[in-house]
Amino acid sequence: MEYVRNGYPKLVIDLNALKTNISQVTKRCEEKGIEVAGVIKGCNGLIPCAEQFYRAGCRWIASSRLEQLAPLKDAGIQSDLMLVRIPMLSEAEDVVRICEYSLNSEVAVLKELNKFAGMHDKTHNVIIMADCGDLREGFWDKEEMADVAFMVENELHNLHLAGVGVNVGCYGSVQPTPEKLQELVDIAETIEDRIGRELEIISGGATSSFMRVVDGNIPPRINMLRIGEGVLLAYDLPALYGYDLPYLSSNTFRLRAEVVEVKDKPSHPVGEIGFDAFGHRIEYVDRGIRRRAVLGIGKVDYGDPSELIPTIDGIEVLGASSDHTLLDIQDLIDAGGDMSVGDIVEFQVNYATMVYLTSSDNVTKVYI
Ligand SMILES: *Cc1c(COP(=O)(O)O)cnc(C)c1O
């Protein structure tokens, strides 16, 4: 029997708010001579979202995943495409077929990219990554990095050494201080001395580096940032770092889920306590009888229930199993509120939740 999903749960995506966020950020970057690569992996590469990056004038559209970049040209998006996860050796041919740019840190991969670029009669642009302490991708040994850059420049003729880049604030939580970003500029200038020309691109990180643009203390030679979260959600810089960015909207993604049960129940489980549906031991607090609501959405759709942010007061997310989310709504009731079966509860989402929700086939995407 055919089943076309068009009901709840729904992820409501405000494309105008997204486009405005992108324009506001790119404008401020441009004033500092910085071009923005719009990173779409946070919303699973949803094409209507990717289109907003293109319309707002991003020179590159970027993702960690080729399957998100592959359909974009056919969708009419003409920005250059960039793979921001250093490529798997096994995907090198697809990288040169699909992307104009990639970030790299391994000689074996660079050689493979060069080989396939030649076979496809293309020149593929590479940005060599330095690890400045965040301990994810990139060269730790900067002499080795300069040697590899020299080799790309002089031996890998189907590659173009477009520049260098760094990533911070991902694994190691390292902050993009002006000094940290200057380290990258110094590396770039060492490489420029070796190859005898200027590099076009010095790519100084992701959303967190936008703080340096706002503060006006980004080293002048940084001329590319790769920005996703800061425009998709605009949540981290205000919520975690206390930045006041009134020109950005944090209402781009809203989750709406439907209430499937409302009952008064004990707050502590009744019976012998073992493990929950995911094999965890949970501590339950006994608060007596409370009004509870069950939503028709679960961990499969959004990952971690504790990351859901209700948009009205008086609702506490208690937990979830794969397909059910449990709310304590007693405070809402005590404050004179009401909730019945069939009602819709709305949540603001954070980055992790956005990643899961946009990837879930069980969640209807509604564009406004
Ligand atoms: C994900 C990613 C980005 C974008 O990060 P945001 O915090 O979403 O702006 C930039 N660069 C690389 C290498 C990434 O993997």
Side-chain angles (χ1 to χ4, degrees), residues 39 41 64 84-85 103 129 136-137 167 170 205-208 226-230 351:
V39 181
K41 70 185 189 214
S64 48
V84 295
R85 180 172 64 197
L103 309 185
M129 297 298 279
R136 201 177 72 178
E137 75 277 42
N167 199 64
C170 275
T207 291
S208 57
R226 312 173 305 267
I227 296 186
E229 194 282 332
Y351 191 84

Side-chain angles (χ1 to χ4, degrees), residues 135-202:
L135 307 183
R136 201 177 72 178
E137 75 277 42
F139 284 93
W140 186 249
D141 180 337
K142 306 308 180 301
E143 268 176 42
E144 184 192 359
M145 178 170 171
D147 290 344
V148 170
F150 187 82
M151 185 202 70
V152 171
E153 177 78 358
N154 292 295
E155 293 173 30
L156 303 183
H157 299 295
N158 305 311
L159 300 184
H160 173 62
L161 177 64
V164 294
V166 71
N167 199 64
V168 289
C170 275
Y171 169 73
S173 314
V174 168
Q175 291 305 294
T177 57
E179 299 73 34
K180 209 27 101 181
L181 298 183
Q182 185 60 40
E183 273 180 43
L184 177 69
V185 174
D186 293 345
I187 292 166
E189 291 178 347
T190 305
I191 291 175
E192 288 174 335
D193 285 345
R194 279 286 294 281
I195 63 174
R197 69 169 174 90
E198 206 170 270
L199 294 168
E200 292 110 66
I201 294 171
I202 304 183

